[in-house]
Amino acid sequence: MTVRISAAAMILIATTAGCGGTQAQNDAKLPPIKPQAASLKDGFSTMDRLVEAARKEGSLTVIGLPRDWVNYGEIIDTFSEEYGIKVNQVEPAASSRREIEAAAQLRPDVFDLSLEVAVANAPMFAPYRVQQWMDVPDHLKDYGGRWYAGYGGYMSIGYDPRKVAPPASYQDLLKPGYSVSLPGDPRQTAAAFNGVMAASLSAGKAEAAKGVAFFGRLKKAGNLAANERAATVVVDWDYHNAERAAHEANGWKVAIPGDSVLSAYYVQAISKNAPHPAAARLWQEFLFSDRGQNLFLKGYARPVRMEALQMRGTLDAEAAARLPVTGAKPVILTIPETDRAKTYLKKAWAEKVG
């Protein structure tokens, strides 16, 4: 039997074949993939090629990311489902310092660190500038691209309104009836350390000696609780207090008093020895995308690109409306200020607070 093909069909076949050939030729013209390159353009040319390279690696190892911390559970699941990449979570409760100590043994691909730990260990990280690099403020990123802030928060006062009046200032916590707690030992826990510094904030300046003296006065007044369970007030990051307020039936409230507020950001970094370098870079692109930043916001953290999202109309307005309201000006401690303050706390806390 003879099969007859019309002229139109012949033209269509020829056109399709030509398109296929052109596409193959275009792919052949692209430079080879460089998984350890310092940008998407230099290493992969396109997001599609980055995704393809990451999928071939198949997995990503993260460290120090509790699933209930700033919505990391949903962030991890969304990334894994979106790209078909298995996320291995090691030592979720690891502190920033522990992440660095465990890196040689556990070999994470990426880190989530406090600013001072990231700065001190910058040689461990591979330079990589995400596509949204220009949206990250200069003072919150390494010029060489080795680390860059992803999300942060404001120090706040969480309180039980059934038992205490809303505090208008940190000084109110010295009044009878308040039972105040920090989220840990300020000599060991970053949130507790910043709680001490926040209590000292005046005219945009924080002083360790004033903060330690304040908590010494709290203890002398009988207002310093042994732990959070015994407290009616917890000085902690607003993303912790806000999440507690959203889930507790007792009506937990959050206050950010004063005209200035202590702020801090956690930074992201890629291990220089990442076993999955393409997946590590895809993870960063995801975290700094509009979608990733809004997922941090959903966890009550303040995404570093928040201003850019607002300007472009891509901010999750509903999630933003749930953040504690404040008109206070954020103050971020410099690395030297942090180092001096921590040195003072190590010497003075036991003596003046116990």
Side-chain angles (χ1 to χ4, degrees):
M1 182 178 67
T2 303
V3 178
R4 299 183 180 275
I5 303 176
S6 68
M10 289 294 291
I11 293 172
L12 179 60
I13 291 170
T15 303
T16 304
C19 289
T22 301
Q23 182 62 48
Q25 290 170 5
N26 288 340
D27 289 343
K29 290 179 182 178
L30 290 172
I33 286 175
K34 301 174 184 176
Q36 297 183 349
S39 71
L40 175 74
K41 181 179 179 181
D42 292 342
F44 306 91
S45 303
T46 67
M47 272 296 293
D48 286 344
R49 295 184 86 204
L50 171 57
V51 171
E52 181 183 4
R55 282 176 173 162
K56 285 180 180 178
E57 291 175 350
S59 65
L60 173 80
T61 300
V62 301
I63 185 171
L65 302 185
R67 292 181 63 83
D68 58 354
W69 171 277
V70 297
N71 200 33
Y72 258 127
E74 183 175 357
I75 290 170
I76 289 169
D77 292 345
T78 302
F79 174 83
S80 183
E81 292 167 7
E82 176 79 13
Y83 299 112
I85 295 171
K86 179 183 178 182
V87 179
N88 305 308
Q89 297 171 251
V90 297
E91 288 204 29
S95 67
S96 294
R97 294 191 184 281
R98 173 58 187 163
E99 288 184 47
I100 298 300
E101 292 169 358
Q105 177 187 2
L106 300 179
R107 302 187 69 204
D109 292 298
V110 291
F111 298 95
D112 179 287
L113 305 163
S114 62
L115 180 61
E116 67 272 18
V117 172
V119 171
N121 295 278
M124 292 179 60
F125 312 136
Y128 185 76
R129 296 188 179 193
V130 294
Q131 294 180 91
Q132 297 80 12
W133 179 259
M134 296 305 295
D135 289 348
V136 181
D138 289 344
H139 65 287
L140 293 175
K141 62 188 178 188
D142 170 54
Y143 178 77
R146 293 172 297 181
W147 54 261
Y148 23 88
Y151 64 90
Y154 294 164
M155 192 50 60
S156 66
I157 299 174
Y159 63 97
D160 185 342
R162 302 171 304 172
K163 299 178 180 178
V164 296
S169 68
Y170 281 90
Q171 294 301 314
D172 279 355
L173 304 182
L174 291 165
K175 295 177 180 179
Y178 288 94
S179 179
V180 184
S181 174
L182 288 167
D185 186 325
R187 294 164 295 184
Q188 301 174 356
T189 306
F193 164 77
N194 282 284
V196 173
M197 298 303 290
S200 78
L201 198 62
S202 177
K205 186 175 179 60
E207 298 180 21
K210 289 177 62 176
V212 171
F214 175 79
F215 277 88
R217 291 167 63 195
L218 277 178
K219 184 172 184 180
K220 188 175 181 180
N223 287 14
L224 190 60
N227 53 60
E228 288 190 42
R229 276 176 279 181
T232 56
V233 171
V234 177
V235 179
D236 200 351
W237 293 119
D238 60 346
Y239 46 81
H240 288 158
N241 274 322
E243 184 169 19
R244 180 173 177 178
H247 294 100
E248 288 197 4
N250 66 5
W252 190 257
K253 299 291 185 182
V254 188
I256 302 177
D259 56 6
S260 57
V261 57
L262 194 68
S263 176
Y265 283 81
Y266 277 83
V267 304
Q268 305 299 315
I270 297 172
S271 172
K272 189 161 63 175
N273 301 312
H276 311 102
R281 284 155 176 77
L282 181 60
W283 171 254
Q284 302 298 355
E285 294 289 358
F286 176 73
L287 293 185
F288 286 85
S289 69
D290 291 359
R291 187 178 186 185
Q293 292 281 285
N294 277 315
L295 284 173
F296 279 131
L297 183 60
K298 189 176 177 181
Y300 302 96
R302 298 174 188 268
V304 74
R305 294 184 56 236
M306 189 164 182
E307 185 176 345
L309 296 180
Q310 287 176 316
M311 290 176 61
R312 294 167 188 164
T314 56
L315 186 72
D316 184 337
E318 183 179 345
R322 298 201 307 266
L323 294 179
V325 178
T326 178
K329 181 180 179 180
V331 174
I332 299 176
L333 297 177
T334 65
I335 299 301
E337 287 172 337
T338 299
D339 289 343
R340 287 194 298 269
K342 288 189 173 182
T343 298
Y344 179 81
L345 254 71
K346 288 178 180 177
K347 294 178 179 177
W349 185 261
E351 176 189 347
K352 298 183 181 296
V353 183

PDB file of all heavy atoms in Angstrom, residues 160-192:
ATOM      1  N   ASP A 160       1.752  36.928  78.994  1.00  0.00           N
ATOM      2  CA  ASP A 160       0.437  36.341  79.232  1.00  0.00           C
ATOM      3  C   ASP A 160      -0.491  37.448  79.745  1.00  0.00           C
ATOM      4  O   ASP A 160      -0.360  37.888  80.884  1.00  0.00           O
ATOM      5  CB  ASP A 160       0.549  35.226  80.281  1.00  0.00           C
ATOM      6  CG  ASP A 160      -0.764  34.490  80.492  1.00  0.00           C
ATOM      7  OD1 ASP A 160      -1.826  35.016  80.103  1.00  0.00           O
ATOM      8  OD2 ASP A 160      -0.730  33.376  81.065  1.00  0.00           O
ATOM      9  N   PRO A 161      -1.435  37.940  78.927  1.00  0.00           N
ATOM     10  CA  PRO A 161      -2.278  39.076  79.312  1.00  0.00           C
ATOM     11  C   PRO A 161      -3.256  38.767  80.438  1.00  0.00           C
ATOM     12  O   PRO A 161      -3.850  39.684  81.015  1.00  0.00           O
ATOM     13  CB  PRO A 161      -3.007  39.419  78.010  1.00  0.00           C
ATOM     14  CG  PRO A 161      -3.072  38.121  77.275  1.00  0.00           C
ATOM     15  CD  PRO A 161      -1.792  37.416  77.593  1.00  0.00           C
ATOM     16  N   ARG A 162      -3.425  37.470  80.742  1.00  0.00           N
ATOM     17  CA  ARG A 162      -4.303  37.114  81.849  1.00  0.00           C
ATOM     18  C   ARG A 162      -3.654  37.381  83.194  1.00  0.00           C
ATOM     19  O   ARG A 162      -4.338  37.508  84.215  1.00  0.00           O
ATOM     20  CB  ARG A 162      -4.677  35.635  81.764  1.00  0.00           C
ATOM     21  CG  ARG A 162      -5.369  35.199  80.485  1.00  0.00           C
ATOM     22  CD  ARG A 162      -5.481  33.702  80.419  1.00  0.00           C
ATOM     23  NE  ARG A 162      -4.163  33.063  80.555  1.00  0.00           N
ATOM     24  CZ  ARG A 162      -3.963  31.756  80.682  1.00  0.00           C
ATOM     25  NH1 ARG A 162      -5.023  30.942  80.694  1.00  0.00           N
ATOM     26  NH2 ARG A 162      -2.755  31.264  80.799  1.00  0.00           N
ATOM     27  N   LYS A 163      -2.324  37.495  83.175  1.00  0.00           N
ATOM     28  CA  LYS A 163      -1.596  37.595  84.444  1.00  0.00           C
ATOM     29  C   LYS A 163      -0.833  38.901  84.628  1.00  0.00           C
ATOM     30  O   LYS A 163      -0.547  39.291  85.763  1.00  0.00           O
ATOM     31  CB  LYS A 163      -0.615  36.422  84.562  1.00  0.00           C
ATOM     32  CG  LYS A 163      -1.319  35.063  84.547  1.00  0.00           C
ATOM     33  CD  LYS A 163      -0.320  33.917  84.616  1.00  0.00           C
ATOM     34  CE  LYS A 163      -1.032  32.575  84.612  1.00  0.00           C
ATOM     35  NZ  LYS A 163      -0.081  31.429  84.633  1.00  0.00           N
ATOM     36  N   VAL A 164      -0.475  39.566  83.525  1.00  0.00           N
ATOM     37  CA  VAL A 164       0.280  40.814  83.639  1.00  0.00           C
ATOM     38  C   VAL A 164      -0.259  41.848  82.668  1.00  0.00           C
ATOM     39  O   VAL A 164      -0.866  41.514  81.649  1.00  0.00           O
ATOM     40  CB  VAL A 164       1.789  40.604  83.369  1.00  0.00           C
ATOM     41  CG1 VAL A 164       2.413  39.704  84.425  1.00  0.00           C
ATOM     42  CG2 VAL A 164       2.027  40.035  81.970  1.00  0.00           C
ATOM     43  N   ALA A 165      -0.021  43.115  82.974  1.00  0.00           N
ATOM     44  CA  ALA A 165      -0.420  44.203  82.090  1.00  0.00           C
ATOM     45  C   ALA A 165       0.554  44.300  80.921  1.00  0.00           C
ATOM     46  O   ALA A 165       1.719  43.910  81.044  1.00  0.00           O
ATOM     47  CB  ALA A 165      -0.425  45.517  82.869  1.00  0.00           C
ATOM     48  N   PRO A 166       0.106  44.811  79.781  1.00  0.00           N
ATOM     49  CA  PRO A 166       1.014  44.965  78.641  1.00  0.00           C
ATOM     50  C   PRO A 166       2.203  45.856  79.008  1.00  0.00           C
ATOM     51  O   PRO A 166       2.002  46.993  79.462  1.00  0.00           O
ATOM     52  CB  PRO A 166       0.133  45.637  77.580  1.00  0.00           C
ATOM     53  CG  PRO A 166      -1.270  45.309  77.968  1.00  0.00           C
ATOM     54  CD  PRO A 166      -1.271  45.255  79.466  1.00  0.00           C
ATOM     55  N   PRO A 167       3.416  45.389  78.856  1.00  0.00           N
ATOM     56  CA  PRO A 167       4.583  46.209  79.194  1.00  0.00           C
ATOM     57  C   PRO A 167       4.826  47.278  78.133  1.00  0.00           C
ATOM     58  O   PRO A 167       4.882  46.979  76.939  1.00  0.00           O
ATOM     59  CB  PRO A 167       5.730  45.199  79.238  1.00  0.00           C
ATOM     60  CG  PRO A 167       5.302  44.093  78.342  1.00  0.00           C
ATOM     61  CD  PRO A 167       3.804  44.026  78.426  1.00  0.00           C
ATOM     62  N   ALA A 168       4.982  48.519  78.573  1.00  0.00           N
ATOM     63  CA  ALA A 168       5.250  49.618  77.644  1.00  0.00           C
ATOM     64  C   ALA A 168       6.738  49.834  77.445  1.00  0.00           C
ATOM     65  O   ALA A 168       7.145  50.565  76.550  1.00  0.00           O
ATOM     66  CB  ALA A 168       4.607  50.898  78.159  1.00  0.00           C
ATOM     67  N   SER A 169       7.547  49.192  78.287  1.00  0.00           N
ATOM     68  CA  SER A 169       8.995  49.306  78.186  1.00  0.00           C
ATOM     69  C   SER A 169       9.628  48.133  78.924  1.00  0.00           C
ATOM     70  O   SER A 169       8.947  47.420  79.680  1.00  0.00           O
ATOM     71  CB  SER A 169       9.479  50.618  78.800  1.00  0.00           C
ATOM     72  OG  SER A 169       9.284  50.597  80.213  1.00  0.00           O
ATOM     73  N   TYR A 170      10.920  47.945  78.742  1.00  0.00           N
ATOM     74  CA  TYR A 170      11.617  46.902  79.490  1.00  0.00           C
ATOM     75  C   TYR A 170      11.628  47.236  80.974  1.00  0.00           C
ATOM     76  O   TYR A 170      11.591  46.346  81.832  1.00  0.00           O
ATOM     77  CB  TYR A 170      13.040  46.714  78.961  1.00  0.00           C
ATOM     78  CG  TYR A 170      13.091  45.900  77.691  1.00  0.00           C
ATOM     79  CD1 TYR A 170      13.015  46.514  76.442  1.00  0.00           C
ATOM     80  CD2 TYR A 170      13.176  44.513  77.723  1.00  0.00           C
ATOM     81  CE1 TYR A 170      13.041  45.765  75.268  1.00  0.00           C
ATOM     82  CE2 TYR A 170      13.200  43.752  76.562  1.00  0.00           C
ATOM     83  CZ  TYR A 170      13.126  44.389  75.335  1.00  0.00           C
ATOM     84  OH  TYR A 170      13.135  43.645  74.180  1.00  0.00           O
ATOM     85  N   GLN A 171      11.648  48.508  81.294  1.00  0.00           N
ATOM     86  CA  GLN A 171      11.647  48.923  82.699  1.00  0.00           C
ATOM     87  C   GLN A 171      10.375  48.476  83.423  1.00  0.00           C
ATOM     88  O   GLN A 171      10.394  48.231  84.633  1.00  0.00           O
ATOM     89  CB  GLN A 171      11.789  50.448  82.794  1.00  0.00           C
ATOM     90  CG  GLN A 171      13.131  50.982  82.316  1.00  0.00           C
ATOM     91  CD  GLN A 171      14.309  50.427  83.088  1.00  0.00           C
ATOM     92  OE1 GLN A 171      14.282  50.378  84.324  1.00  0.00           O
ATOM     93  NE2 GLN A 171      15.339  49.981  82.376  1.00  0.00           N
ATOM     94  N   ASP A 172       9.274  48.340  82.694  1.00  0.00           N
ATOM     95  CA  ASP A 172       8.029  47.866  83.306  1.00  0.00           C
ATOM     96  C   ASP A 172       8.184  46.467  83.890  1.00  0.00           C
ATOM     97  O   ASP A 172       7.451  46.087  84.821  1.00  0.00           O
ATOM     98  CB  ASP A 172       6.901  47.846  82.264  1.00  0.00           C
ATOM     99  CG  ASP A 172       6.286  49.218  82.052  1.00  0.00           C
ATOM    100  OD1 ASP A 172       6.665  50.157  82.772  1.00  0.00           O
ATOM    101  OD2 ASP A 172       5.430  49.337  81.152  1.00  0.00           O
ATOM    102  N   LEU A 173       9.122  45.688  83.368  1.00  0.00           N
ATOM    103  CA  LEU A 173       9.303  44.314  83.829  1.00  0.00           C
ATOM    104  C   LEU A 173       9.852  44.250  85.246  1.00  0.00           C
ATOM    105  O   LEU A 173       9.842  43.182  85.869  1.00  0.00           O
ATOM    106  CB  LEU A 173      10.227  43.555  82.872  1.00  0.00           C
ATOM    107  CG  LEU A 173       9.797  43.531  81.402  1.00  0.00           C
ATOM    108  CD1 LEU A 173      10.774  42.704  80.570  1.00  0.00           C
ATOM    109  CD2 LEU A 173       8.378  42.977  81.257  1.00  0.00           C
ATOM    110  N   LEU A 174      10.307  45.388  85.767  1.00  0.00           N
ATOM    111  CA  LEU A 174      10.793  45.449  87.151  1.00  0.00           C
ATOM    112  C   LEU A 174       9.638  45.624  88.152  1.00  0.00           C
ATOM    113  O   LEU A 174       9.836  45.480  89.359  1.00  0.00           O
ATOM    114  CB  LEU A 174      11.777  46.612  87.317  1.00  0.00           C
ATOM    115  CG  LEU A 174      13.130  46.453  86.605  1.00  0.00           C
ATOM    116  CD1 LEU A 174      13.848  47.797  86.541  1.00  0.00           C
ATOM    117  CD2 LEU A 174      13.987  45.417  87.320  1.00  0.00           C
ATOM    118  N   LYS A 175       8.455  45.901  87.650  1.00  0.00           N
ATOM    119  CA  LYS A 175       7.309  46.122  88.526  1.00  0.00           C
ATOM    120  C   LYS A 175       6.828  44.805  89.136  1.00  0.00           C
ATOM    121  O   LYS A 175       7.052  43.728  88.566  1.00  0.00           O
ATOM    122  CB  LYS A 175       6.167  46.773  87.739  1.00  0.00           C
ATOM    123  CG  LYS A 175       6.491  48.165  87.226  1.00  0.00           C
ATOM    124  CD  LYS A 175       5.346  48.717  86.394  1.00  0.00           C
ATOM    125  CE  LYS A 175       5.659  50.116  85.882  1.00  0.00           C
ATOM    126  NZ  LYS A 175       4.558  50.662  85.037  1.00  0.00           N
ATOM    127  N   PRO A 176       6.159  44.859  90.297  1.00  0.00           N
ATOM    128  CA  PRO A 176       5.645  43.637  90.931  1.00  0.00           C
ATOM    129  C   PRO A 176       4.678  42.892  90.014  1.00  0.00           C
ATOM    130  O   PRO A 176       3.913  43.496  89.262  1.00  0.00           O
ATOM    131  CB  PRO A 176       4.914  44.170  92.171  1.00  0.00           C
ATOM    132  CG  PRO A 176       5.570  45.493  92.452  1.00  0.00           C
ATOM    133  CD  PRO A 176       5.919  46.064  91.115  1.00  0.00           C
ATOM    134  N   GLY A 177       4.759  41.563  90.043  1.00  0.00           N
ATOM    135  CA  GLY A 177       3.838  40.726  89.286  1.00  0.00           C
ATOM    136  C   GLY A 177       4.421  40.132  88.020  1.00  0.00           C
ATOM    137  O   GLY A 177       3.896  39.142  87.504  1.00  0.00           O
ATOM    138  N   TYR A 178       5.500  40.725  87.501  1.00  0.00           N
ATOM    139  CA  TYR A 178       6.120  40.182  86.295  1.00  0.00           C
ATOM    140  C   TYR A 178       7.112  39.078  86.658  1.00  0.00           C
ATOM    141  O   TYR A 178       7.868  39.195  87.624  1.00  0.00           O
ATOM    142  CB  TYR A 178       6.864  41.270  85.523  1.00  0.00           C
ATOM    143  CG  TYR A 178       5.950  42.255  84.817  1.00  0.00           C
ATOM    144  CD1 TYR A 178       5.587  43.457  85.426  1.00  0.00           C
ATOM    145  CD2 TYR A 178       5.440  41.969  83.557  1.00  0.00           C
ATOM    146  CE1 TYR A 178       4.755  44.369  84.783  1.00  0.00           C
ATOM    147  CE2 TYR A 178       4.602  42.865  82.912  1.00  0.00           C
ATOM    148  CZ  TYR A 178       4.266  44.060  83.528  1.00  0.00           C
ATOM    149  OH  TYR A 178       3.431  44.943  82.901  1.00  0.00           O
ATOM    150  N   SER A 179       7.095  38.012  85.877  1.00  0.00           N
ATOM    151  CA  SER A 179       8.044  36.910  86.038  1.00  0.00           C
ATOM    152  C   SER A 179       8.689  36.673  84.676  1.00  0.00           C
ATOM    153  O   SER A 179       8.052  36.169  83.753  1.00  0.00           O
ATOM    154  CB  SER A 179       7.318  35.644  86.517  1.00  0.00           C
ATOM    155  OG  SER A 179       8.216  34.576  86.663  1.00  0.00           O
ATOM    156  N   VAL A 180       9.962  37.073  84.548  1.00  0.00           N
ATOM    157  CA  VAL A 180      10.612  37.218  83.254  1.00  0.00           C
ATOM    158  C   VAL A 180      11.605  36.092  82.986  1.00  0.00           C
ATOM    159  O   VAL A 180      12.363  35.693  83.873  1.00  0.00           O
ATOM    160  CB  VAL A 180      11.343  38.579  83.175  1.00  0.00           C
ATOM    161  CG1 VAL A 180      11.951  38.783  81.788  1.00  0.00           C
ATOM    162  CG2 VAL A 180      10.388  39.715  83.525  1.00  0.00           C
ATOM    163  N   SER A 181      11.622  35.613  81.738  1.00  0.00           N
ATOM    164  CA  SER A 181      12.549  34.559  81.354  1.00  0.00           C
ATOM    165  C   SER A 181      13.235  34.898  80.035  1.00  0.00           C
ATOM    166  O   SER A 181      12.683  35.616  79.197  1.00  0.00           O
ATOM    167  CB  SER A 181      11.814  33.227  81.208  1.00  0.00           C
ATOM    168  OG  SER A 181      12.662  32.220  80.698  1.00  0.00           O
ATOM    169  N   LEU A 182      14.437  34.368  79.873  1.00  0.00           N
ATOM    170  CA  LEU A 182      15.151  34.391  78.605  1.00  0.00           C
ATOM    171  C   LEU A 182      15.134  32.980  78.012  1.00  0.00           C
ATOM    172  O   LEU A 182      15.040  32.004  78.760  1.00  0.00           O
ATOM    173  CB  LEU A 182      16.600  34.826  78.817  1.00  0.00           C
ATOM    174  CG  LEU A 182      16.863  36.283  79.163  1.00  0.00           C
ATOM    175  CD1 LEU A 182      18.296  36.467  79.649  1.00  0.00           C
ATOM    176  CD2 LEU A 182      16.589  37.186  77.960  1.00  0.00           C
ATOM    177  N   PRO A 183      15.266  32.839  76.696  1.00  0.00           N
ATOM    178  CA  PRO A 183      15.267  31.499  76.076  1.00  0.00           C
ATOM    179  C   PRO A 183      16.643  30.835  76.165  1.00  0.00           C
ATOM    180  O   PRO A 183      17.248  30.483  75.154  1.00  0.00           O
ATOM    181  CB  PRO A 183      14.873  31.793  74.633  1.00  0.00           C
ATOM    182  CG  PRO A 183      15.412  33.165  74.389  1.00  0.00           C
ATOM    183  CD  PRO A 183      15.261  33.901  75.684  1.00  0.00           C
ATOM    184  N   GLY A 184      17.127  30.660  77.396  1.00  0.00           N
ATOM    185  CA  GLY A 184      18.418  30.009  77.572  1.00  0.00           C
ATOM    186  C   GLY A 184      19.409  30.888  78.314  1.00  0.00           C
ATOM    187  O   GLY A 184      19.080  31.966  78.819  1.00  0.00           O
ATOM    188  N   ASP A 185      20.634  30.421  78.388  1.00  0.00           N
ATOM    189  CA  ASP A 185      21.732  31.132  79.038  1.00  0.00           C
ATOM    190  C   ASP A 185      22.335  32.114  78.032  1.00  0.00           C
ATOM    191  O   ASP A 185      22.769  31.707  76.951  1.00  0.00           O
ATOM    192  CB  ASP A 185      22.796  30.114  79.481  1.00  0.00           C
ATOM    193  CG  ASP A 185      23.904  30.739  80.304  1.00  0.00           C
ATOM    194  OD1 ASP A 185      24.271  31.904  80.035  1.00  0.00           O
ATOM    195  OD2 ASP A 185      24.428  30.063  81.211  1.00  0.00           O
ATOM    196  N   PRO A 186      22.369  33.407  78.341  1.00  0.00           N
ATOM    197  CA  PRO A 186      22.867  34.390  77.373  1.00  0.00           C
ATOM    198  C   PRO A 186      24.343  34.244  77.033  1.00  0.00           C
ATOM    199  O   PRO A 186      24.819  34.823  76.057  1.00  0.00           O
ATOM    200  CB  PRO A 186      22.594  35.729  78.059  1.00  0.00           C
ATOM    201  CG  PRO A 186      22.537  35.412  79.513  1.00  0.00           C
ATOM    202  CD  PRO A 186      21.935  34.039  79.594  1.00  0.00           C
ATOM    203  N   ARG A 187      25.075  33.449  77.814  1.00  0.00           N
ATOM    204  CA  ARG A 187      26.477  33.177  77.490  1.00  0.00           C
ATOM    205  C   ARG A 187      26.622  32.075  76.453  1.00  0.00           C
ATOM    206  O   ARG A 187      27.703  31.876  75.891  1.00  0.00           O
ATOM    207  CB  ARG A 187      27.237  32.791  78.772  1.00  0.00           C
ATOM    208  CG  ARG A 187      27.357  33.919  79.787  1.00  0.00           C
ATOM    209  CD  ARG A 187      27.755  33.407  81.157  1.00  0.00           C
ATOM    210  NE  ARG A 187      26.716  32.546  81.738  1.00  0.00           N
ATOM    211  CZ  ARG A 187      26.785  32.024  82.962  1.00  0.00           C
ATOM    212  NH1 ARG A 187      27.841  32.262  83.718  1.00  0.00           N
ATOM    213  NH2 ARG A 187      25.799  31.267  83.414  1.00  0.00           N
ATOM    214  N   GLN A 188      25.502  31.377  76.172  1.00  0.00           N
ATOM    215  CA  GLN A 188      25.554  30.248  75.252  1.00  0.00           C
ATOM    216  C   GLN A 188      24.539  30.319  74.120  1.00  0.00           C
ATOM    217  O   GLN A 188      24.763  29.759  73.046  1.00  0.00           O
ATOM    218  CB  GLN A 188      25.327  28.943  76.033  1.00  0.00           C
ATOM    219  CG  GLN A 188      26.352  28.696  77.125  1.00  0.00           C
ATOM    220  CD  GLN A 188      26.011  27.485  77.968  1.00  0.00           C
ATOM    221  OE1 GLN A 188      24.964  26.858  77.788  1.00  0.00           O
ATOM    222  NE2 GLN A 188      26.879  27.150  78.912  1.00  0.00           N
ATOM    223  N   THR A 189      23.417  30.998  74.355  1.00  0.00           N
ATOM    224  CA  THR A 189      22.316  31.033  73.397  1.00  0.00           C
ATOM    225  C   THR A 189      22.180  32.416  72.770  1.00  0.00           C
ATOM    226  O   THR A 189      22.081  33.417  73.489  1.00  0.00           O
ATOM    227  CB  THR A 189      20.992  30.657  74.089  1.00  0.00           C
ATOM    228  OG1 THR A 189      21.151  29.405  74.752  1.00  0.00           O
ATOM    229  CG2 THR A 189      19.856  30.574  73.093  1.00  0.00           C
ATOM    230  N   ALA A 190      22.166  32.464  71.435  1.00  0.00           N
ATOM    231  CA  ALA A 190      22.126  33.744  70.733  1.00  0.00           C
ATOM    232  C   ALA A 190      20.877  34.551  71.069  1.00  0.00           C
ATOM    233  O   ALA A 190      20.951  35.768  71.290  1.00  0.00           O
ATOM    234  CB  ALA A 190      22.205  33.504  69.226  1.00  0.00           C
ATOM    235  N   ALA A 191      19.715  33.902  71.118  1.00  0.00           N
ATOM    236  CA  ALA A 191      18.478  34.624  71.408  1.00  0.00           C
ATOM    237  C   ALA A 191      18.509  35.238  72.802  1.00  0.00           C
ATOM    238  O   ALA A 191      18.081  36.381  73.001  1.00  0.00           O
ATOM    239  CB  ALA A 191      17.280  33.694  71.260  1.00  0.00           C
ATOM    240  N   ALA A 192      19.019  34.490  73.784  1.00  0.00           N
ATOM    241  CA  ALA A 192      19.106  35.009  75.154  1.00  0.00           C
ATOM    242  C   ALA A 192      20.097  36.166  75.232  1.00  0.00           C
ATOM    243  O   ALA A 192      19.851  37.175  75.912  1.00  0.00           O
ATOM    244  CB  ALA A 192      19.504  33.889  76.108  1.00  0.00           C
TER     245      ALA A 192
END
